[in-house]
Amino acid sequence: MNHLGDAHVHTWTLRFMALLAADTQDQLAWLGERELGTKDVVEEVELLCRVSEGLAERGAFEPEDLRGLRAVGRRLGEIDAACRVGLWGNALATDPAWDEIRSLARRFLRTRLGDWRQPLPRPVRPHTGDH
């Protein structure tokens, strides 16, 4: 990856961690009417956690940051396949794993940025098929 790519992935990782760290009500408000699958969220975060290894090698994350991201990735990996089915908004309300992930994401953000309360990423507009 180039430096611009590193910066983009670094920023996206921090934004996604901010979303994972947010209170459930804020996460649900961020989702709005979007139907985001739990499996998609898990896969996206697992990818960001894996890519962060390379970012750490290039100095974009500190070793302590990497430990936090690994903890989030490990906990996500423990989510049962059956619990990955369905919408993330429903899982947030019913699966206690998301409370643990929220706590790990908050710890990561406090370590990295000094506070877990960060702006949430701008929601991606749903694809409508129109051009």
Side-chain angles (χ1 to χ4, degrees), residues 11-20 22 30-31 34 118-124:
T11 299
W12 182 237
T13 301
L14 294 176
R15 288 182 179 159
F16 220 106
M17 287 298 128
L19 179 59
L20 292 178
W30 181 87
L31 280 168
R34 282 179 299 289
Q118 301 295 318
L120 298 183
R122 285 189 311 235
V124 177

Side-chain angles (χ1 to χ4, degrees), residues 34-102:
R34 282 179 299 289
E35 295 184 349
L36 184 58
T38 303
K39 180 181 176 219
D40 297 329
V41 172
V42 170
E43 289 176 354
E44 182 75 17
V45 178
E46 285 179 326
L47 175 63
L48 289 171
C49 290
R50 282 192 308 272
V51 170
S52 67
E53 300 278 340
L55 292 177
E57 290 173 6
R58 293 186 293 281
F61 284 116
E62 297 297 321
E64 192 171 345
D65 300 330
L66 195 53
R67 283 190 290 277
L69 290 169
R70 285 177 181 153
V72 171
R74 273 192 308 275
R75 184 60 189 101
L76 283 165
E78 294 169 357
I79 294 177
D80 185 273
C83 293
R84 295 181 185 208
V85 175
L87 299 177
W88 189 45
N90 295 337
L92 286 170
T94 60
D95 187 346
W98 292 102
D99 293 332
E100 295 171 42
I101 293 163
R102 182 175 300 105

